């Protein structure tokens, strides 16, 4: 049986409190894993704790959504840091989330970089290697979520770190396999039908159609949905239903 993980970025509060956590929890029935913001691009201790409690009860795999220290720009500003600085940033954020997980006797399932850190590491072997070392040295059993076909996946394989090749339901792709920058008008997919069609193509065919109409190969092991998108719940429901209809198991294992 074909299987796929559906993950979702969440807990991305941009002020301390309160945060509408119910909109995130409403997505749980359609997901198998979540990525919780750890405070650097967004998130706060209260939201982290509540989401860990809710996800552990719902038996959803929990990951750390790590970022550059950039709340002002939601972690979307490219930064030039030393390998030691990037290593420390990643380890620090993992540790912050792990502290809450310990309260519920749950292990951290994965780590997924966010925003600029994610996109830069997708193309930069040295940055990708630093992230892999930080993850592996923290817990060698954790999984790294990285853009399909990227340097993060390549470096994870070299370092014998478990990785999941990630694809996106609500983002468009360029011919080189990278995501269309958010600064461009066609970067986001807002039509549910288009999103479902793209997900099924990626999961069933290991292909995606780029913005130029070219079909390129990619590996799909986890599909990302963004909780802060205006159509997040509808996308999650439709994608979950479409995958199940095709006999595809939804699991983070």
């Amino acid at each position: 049986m074909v299987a796929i993980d559906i993950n979702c970025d969440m807990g991305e509060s941009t002020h301390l409190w309160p945060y509408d956590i119910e909109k995130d929890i409403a997505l749980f029935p359609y997901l198998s894993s979540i990525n919780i913001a750890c405070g650097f691009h967004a998130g706060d201790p209260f939201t982290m704790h509540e989401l860990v409690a809710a996800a552990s009860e719902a038996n959803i795999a929990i990951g750390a959504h790590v970022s550059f220290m950039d709340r002002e720009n939601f972690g979307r500003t490219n930064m030039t840091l030393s390998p030691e600085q990037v290593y420390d940033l990643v380890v620090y954020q993992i540790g912050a989330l792990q502290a809450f997980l310990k309260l519920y006797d749950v292990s951290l399932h994965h780590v997924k970089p966010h925003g600029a850190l994610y996109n830069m590491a997708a193309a930069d072997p040295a940055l990708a290697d630093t992230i892999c070392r930080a993850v592996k040295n923290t817990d060698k059993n954790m999984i790294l979520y990285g853009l399909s076909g990227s340097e993060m996946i390549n470096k994870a394989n070299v370092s014998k770190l478990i990785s999941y090749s990630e694809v996106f339901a609500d983002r468009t792709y360029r011919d080189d396999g990278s995501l269309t920058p958010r600064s461009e008008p066609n970067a986001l997919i807002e039509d549910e039908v288009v999103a479902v069609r793209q997900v099924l193509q990626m999961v069933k065919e290991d292909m995606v159609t780029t913005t130029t109409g070219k079909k390129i190969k990619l590996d799909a092991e986890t599909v990302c949905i963004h909780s802060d998108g205006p159509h997040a719940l509808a996308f999650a429901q439709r994608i979950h239903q479409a995958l199940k209809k095709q006999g595809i198991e939804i699991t983070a294992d």
Side-chain angles (χ1 to χ4, degrees):
M1 177 183 289
V2 176
I4 192 75
D5 171 46
I6 300 179
N7 79 77
C8 186
D9 303 340
M10 56 177 57
E12 294 178 314
S13 61
T14 52
H15 54 281
L16 194 58
W17 193 258
Y19 173 75
D20 185 9
I21 196 170
E22 294 303 322
K23 71 177 180 60
D24 286 350
I25 293 175
L27 292 161
F28 279 11
Y30 314 105
L31 309 173
S32 45
S33 69
I34 61 172
N35 321 302
I36 300 178
C38 299
F40 277 19
H41 74 283
D44 61 75
F46 315 115
T47 301
M48 291 167 69
H49 190 173
E50 286 200 27
L51 279 174
V52 166
S56 60
E57 184 176 351
N59 199 30
I60 291 176
I62 301 170
H65 203 25
V66 302
S67 170
F68 287 130
M69 192 180 293
D70 178 32
R71 288 184 74 93
E72 295 79 7
N73 300 291
F74 203 67
R76 291 179 177 154
T77 302
N78 286 6
M79 294 185 175
T80 303
L81 302 179
S82 69
E84 293 79 13
Q85 289 173 315
V86 173
Y87 183 94
D88 289 348
L89 289 176
V90 173
V91 170
Y92 182 95
Q93 291 172 85
I94 291 172
L97 188 58
Q98 279 180 325
F100 289 115
L101 286 162
K102 287 180 181 178
L103 300 176
Y104 299 89
D105 196 27
V106 176
S107 296
L108 193 61
H109 177 262
H110 65 274
V111 175
K112 175 183 168 180
H114 163 82
L117 181 61
Y118 183 98
N119 291 323
M120 289 177 67
D124 184 336
L127 182 57
D129 183 66
T130 298
I131 293 170
C132 287
R133 286 193 297 106
V135 173
K136 188 173 182 179
N137 290 350
T138 304
D139 183 347
K140 65 181 180 181
N141 296 314
M142 280 195 299
I143 302 166
L144 178 68
Y145 283 22
L147 183 68
S148 180
S150 71
E151 287 297 336
M152 275 202 289
I153 300 301
N154 292 339
K155 289 300 181 182
N157 292 336
V158 170
S159 62
K160 295 182 169 49
L161 179 68
I162 305 167
S163 65
Y164 281 5
S165 292
E166 184 177 42
V167 297
F168 288 80
D170 52 5
R171 297 289 303 275
T172 62
Y173 284 80
R174 299 191 292 189
D175 288 354
D176 63 358
S178 64
L179 300 176
T180 306
R182 286 178 178 269
S183 57
E184 296 185 12
N186 62 343
L188 303 178
I189 296 174
E190 299 184 358
D191 187 313
E192 296 171 27
V193 174
V194 175
V196 170
R197 183 168 63 235
Q198 175 162 293
V199 169
L200 289 177
Q201 180 188 33
M202 293 187 293
V203 174
K204 295 183 66 180
E205 302 175 24
D206 291 331
M207 304 281 287
V208 70
T209 302
T210 70
T211 52
T212 67
K214 182 180 179 180
K215 289 186 177 182
I216 62 172
K217 182 170 175 54
L218 48 66
D219 295 321
E221 295 173 313
T222 183
V223 177
C224 177
I225 297 170
H226 292 98
S227 70
D228 59 352
H231 311 288
L233 183 57
F235 276 18
Q237 291 170 329
R238 289 285 295 271
I239 290 167
H240 185 276
Q241 180 183 41
L243 291 170
K244 285 287 192 180
K245 190 175 181 180
Q246 293 290 324
I248 297 169
E249 182 183 9
I250 297 169
T251 177
D253 298 327

